[in-house]
């Protein structure tokens, strides 16, 4: 058996979940792709990316009692009130209404790895930090922007050899951000992370 | 934009390819399924004209890679249990499982070129084009990946 055959026999076992296509076809049949409701992801991921396109996060955070909070964040260029409900299991559900009055629901969450390798649910503070993490946006016009809290930085011309270094003001400290063009970023409160150390 | 029946056929044909690339990148089946949905939605919405099925497939893989890159990199990223996921895949031979786990144990920069080269059958120049990297870089990564796999699988069999 060749290497290629063995690879194909091995990786042919990987299939998308059966409901993936069904859900997509349902959405396209209902012409509802603009209101795609993500239900599966267990780590926050794109949720934060979608929500923090133009970000001036945590202008205020008001306790509504228990573990529900209202935040004001930027969503697609609109300052938007969102209600976030945190679960002790390390997840959150977020509801908001867009500029056209359409209701949206998003969710996310995750786990942290303890020093001994065990997992624990993310705390509310960690989830808030995750939601408010900097976002790098690559616009259709080719420009590249970093959004973080009330900061909006055009980093288009700052790349050298595909890497850009940005200093951001965090809530309590300066944050050092290393951005690889189209390939993610690393953030540290201490120093710029070397591009070789991530991705 | 593709007609609904054209879209359904293309989605069904290529969704597993999208998933494989996404899983290879993310090592998280939930995220990979979400990326698969996102990419299919982008296919549905695009006005791009595709000259052939291979053109369409290349575009889908390129969008998949971009989508994977967009996935938020959290300092608390979930540590995936590859063993547990491998259990669900029903490998009929132990060496398939060992290969799967060995590939997934490699760094991302090695995993994706391996999948594109050995599973999807792309050449190094095609992979370079898809991943927007120099062809020499792809060749080097494939070479190193093979060496690492040989080392890992050699150790596993001893």
């Amino acid at each position: 058996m060749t290497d290629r055959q063995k690879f194909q026999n091995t990786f042919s076992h990987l299939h998308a979940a059966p409901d993936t296509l069904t859900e997509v076809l349902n959405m396209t049949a209902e012409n509802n792709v603009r209101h795609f409701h993500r239900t599966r992801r267990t780590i926050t991921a794109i949720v934060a990316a979608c929500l923090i396109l133009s970000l001036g996060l945590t202008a205020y955070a008001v306790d509504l009692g228990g573990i529900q909070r209202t935040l004001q964040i930027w969503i697609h260029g609109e300052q938007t009130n969102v209600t976030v409900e945190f679960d002790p299991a390390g997840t959150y559900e977020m509801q908001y209404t867009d500029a056209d009055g359409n209701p949206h629901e998003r969710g996310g969450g995750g786990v942290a790895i303890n020093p001994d390798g065990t997992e624990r649910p993310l705390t509310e503070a960690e989830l808030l930090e995750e939601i408010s993490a900097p976002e790098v946006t690559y616009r259709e016009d080719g420009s590249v922007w970093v959004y973080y809290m009330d900061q909006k930085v055009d980093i288009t011309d700052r790349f050298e050899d595909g890497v850009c270094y940005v200093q951001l003001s965090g809530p309590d400290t300066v944050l050092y951000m290393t951005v690889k063009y189209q390939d993610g970023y690393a953030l540290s409160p201490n120093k710029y992370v070397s591009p070789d150390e991530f991705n | 934009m593709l007609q609904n029946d054209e879209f359904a056929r293309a989605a069904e044909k290529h969704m597993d390819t999208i998933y494989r690339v996404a899983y290879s990148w993310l090592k998280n089946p939930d995220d990979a399924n979400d990326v698969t949905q996102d990419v299919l939605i982008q296919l549905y919405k695009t006005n791009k004209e595709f000259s052939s099925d291979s053109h369409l497939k290349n575009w889908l893989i390129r969008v998949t890679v971009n989508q994977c890159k967009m996935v938020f990199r959290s300092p608390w990223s979930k540590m995936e249990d590859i063993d547990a996921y491998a259990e669900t895949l029903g490998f009929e031979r132990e060496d398939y499982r060992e290969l799967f786990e060995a590939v997934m144990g490699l760094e991302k920069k090695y995993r994706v070129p391996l999948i594109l080269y050995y599973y999807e059958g792309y050449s190094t120049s095609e992979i370079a084009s898809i991943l927007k990297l120099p062809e020499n870089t792809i060749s080097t990564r494939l070479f190193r990946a093979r060496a690492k796999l040989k080392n890992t699988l050699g150790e596993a069999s001893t």
Side-chain angles (χ1 to χ4, degrees):
Chain A
M1 184 184 297
T2 65
D3 288 345
R4 196 178 296 274
Q5 284 173 321
K6 190 171 179 181
F7 248 87
Q8 294 189 342
N9 290 340
T10 298
F11 285 89
S12 62
H13 287 76
L14 271 71
H15 299 285
D19 61 349
T20 299
L21 182 59
T22 307
E23 287 181 20
V24 171
L25 292 179
N26 286 342
M27 280 186 280
T28 56
E30 295 165 7
N31 198 20
N32 196 30
V33 294
R34 292 186 64 196
H35 308 300
F36 176 29
H37 180 199
R38 193 178 302 286
T39 56
R40 189 180 283 119
R41 181 161 295 149
T42 54
I43 306 176
T44 301
I46 283 177
V47 173
C50 293
L51 291 175
I52 312 173
L53 281 179
S54 179
L55 184 146
L57 181 87
T58 322
Y60 60 85
V62 181
D63 256 322
L64 297 179
I67 49 177
Q68 193 176 63
R69 287 179 181 274
T70 296
L71 308 173
Q72 192 173 59
I73 63 176
W74 288 93
I75 300 175
H76 301 308
E78 298 286 342
Q79 218 167 16
T80 307
N81 290 329
V82 300
T83 303
V84 188
E85 190 169 341
F86 296 97
D87 187 280
T91 62
Y92 68 84
E93 293 285 338
M94 181 183 294
Q95 286 101 32
Y96 67 94
T97 303
D98 67 19
D100 298 326
N102 300 308
H104 294 266
E105 291 184 9
R106 300 285 170 85
V111 296
I113 310 299
N114 291 319
D116 63 1
T118 58
E119 294 181 353
R120 64 168 174 78
L122 293 182
T123 65
E124 180 185 328
E126 288 168 337
L127 289 170
L128 273 171
E129 191 173 344
E130 193 168 302
I131 292 169
S132 65
E135 182 50 57
V136 179
T137 297
Y138 299 85
R139 292 186 177 176
E140 288 186 354
D141 64 3
S143 61
V144 188
W145 294 78
V146 172
Y147 297 96
Y148 181 59
M149 302 193 74
D150 60 348
Q151 296 153 81
K152 177 181 174 184
V153 186
D154 183 352
I155 60 171
T156 312
D157 298 325
R158 294 203 201 172
F159 285 91
E160 288 186 17
D161 296 327
V163 179
C164 165
Y165 300 94
V166 189
Q167 189 171 309
L168 300 168
S169 300
D172 306 311
T173 181
V174 170
L175 295 174
Y176 298 92
M177 186 177 191
T178 308
V179 184
K180 284 186 186 175
Y181 190 77
Q182 296 276 17
D183 199 17
Y185 68 78
L187 198 66
S188 168
N190 304 314
K191 62 171 186 172
Y192 289 114
V193 177
S194 166
D196 298 332
E197 293 179 40
F198 64 102
N199 291 346
Chain B
M1 182 180 281
L2 296 176
Q3 298 300 310
N4 279 0
D5 56 341
E6 292 175 313
F7 168 74
R9 278 198 300 274
E12 185 170 11
K13 180 174 182 181
H14 295 296
M15 61 184 281
D16 283 344
T17 295
I18 297 167
Y19 177 80
R20 269 183 217 106
V21 172
Y23 182 81
S24 303
W25 192 286
L26 301 166
K27 292 207 297 186
N28 180 315
D30 291 332
D31 281 351
N33 277 309
D34 279 343
V35 165
T36 304
Q37 282 196 341
D38 289 341
V39 172
L40 292 179
I41 293 296
Q42 288 198 42
L43 173 62
Y44 180 76
K45 289 162 66 176
T46 187
N47 290 318
K48 191 173 179 63
E49 297 284 335
F50 298 104
S51 58
S52 64
D53 191 58
S54 62
H55 181 205
L56 168 64
K57 185 177 173 183
N58 287 0
W59 182 84
L60 287 170
I61 293 174
R62 181 68 211 152
V63 173
T64 302
V65 168
N66 285 337
Q67 203 69 38
C68 289
K69 287 179 179 177
M70 288 288 289
V71 171
F72 181 63
R73 285 150 173 98
S74 165
W76 306 290
S77 292
K78 183 173 173 60
M79 186 178 288
E80 287 307 307
D81 187 343
I82 300 299
D83 285 350
Y85 183 57
E87 283 292 331
T88 70
L89 297 177
F91 292 116
E92 58 277 285
R93 285 174 42 165
E94 187 60 23
D95 57 339
Y96 293 167
R97 181 193 171 109
E98 288 172 359
L99 176 61
F100 174 77
E101 293 182 352
V103 171
M104 287 306 148
L106 296 173
E107 295 169 66
K108 170 171 61 63
K109 64 182 180 183
Y110 298 127
R111 297 195 300 268
V112 176
L114 277 174
I115 296 297
L116 294 179
Y117 185 83
Y118 282 108
Y119 191 89
E120 300 296 343
Y122 284 108
S123 67
T124 52
S125 62
E126 288 170 326
I127 297 169
S129 173
I130 289 171
L131 298 181
K132 295 198 185 307
L133 290 168
E135 187 175 350
N136 284 346
T137 301
I138 298 300
S139 297
T140 302
R141 288 183 181 181
L142 284 171
F143 176 80
R144 289 177 180 166
R146 278 190 286 262
K148 286 173 182 283
L149 282 180
K150 191 174 178 182
N151 188 41
T152 303
L153 295 172
E155 285 178 1
S157 64
T158 56

